[in-house]
Amino acid sequence: MKISDNVRMVPVPEDQPMRPTSTNIYIIGQRGGQTLTIDSGEAIDKFRWMLRGYLAAIDHSEIGVAAITHHHFDHSGNLKHVNEHLKAEVAVPENGVKLLRGRLPKDGVKTYADGDTIELDGGIRVQVMTSPGHSVDSLCYYIEEEGILFTGDTILGNTTSVVGDVNSYMASLRRLLELPNVQVLCPGHGPLIRDTEEAKARDRLEMYVAHRQMREDQILEQLQDGEPKTSWQIMEAIYGDTIDKRLRRAADGNVQAHLKSLQKSGVVKASRGVKKRPNPATVARSKAKETANRKIIQQGKKLDKAQRNRILAQQENPPTDQWKTPPSYQLR
Ligand SMILES: [Zn+2]
């Protein structure tokens, strides 16, 4: 999908509630010039094939630089793949390197920090900005001349985001609000947010700020009666039946993030809580079961592969499985 002459979106369809409608990869660069990709998707085939397809559509079979917005696996899963098969130099947030253990190629990795700029052929300038909050290493990428902002999971296409640290998240949103030219927000999941006649893309940033403020007010309201409550109880009271049940843990995480920030500012205090000490025998048993299950899954994969190879082999060989002696033909 074309966003501008130099920017394309690869929206890979999703069916998980945490990744509404799509997980997006973006391709930036002129036809025939150096390419930058932002995010690389999860380490499964559909992301790889779609990325290749979109590259082919602009006559590219390689990527210059493969950058990511943050370390989460649905954004960074294919970094090794694009390095090995599409010759990409990989670029990750400076403070994300240790969070990406196992997902980075041995060579060809560089890091981005706040204020860095990426220069591409044709005078395309992409600015790198840190935007912590959703994750500690979140980055946004910004093409000021075109008014295009790549937000990763800091801003999503059709829902609000999961927040790890509310204070830094709010500071990041306020910083994005100060950008001089924002016409299109390119989120990590879900549809683009563009300026329309009714609303500006920038309004979405303000809506996010207002939304977080509203959540904080709701949480404080739940605590007005002086009764201590767990984050889960607060979450249930606030969200009720309004959210997909599979999003309740995420919503609880957001409530916890708010409570932590309220605790930091001295508005809320917390009891220590008592952690469960798992019984070593139970832990050992569930580990053993996990190992056994993994073996079965691997065996299944092996059988599946063998089956497919058998079918392929059949296609190139005579049907000896069907005929002792096949009919033969000659002229009458
Ligand atoms: Zn994320």
Side-chain angles (χ1 to χ4, degrees), residues 70 72 74-75 134-135 153 189:
H70 62 300
H72 289 163
D74 48 336
H75 300 260
H134 168 72
S135 65
D153 287 355
H189 303 277

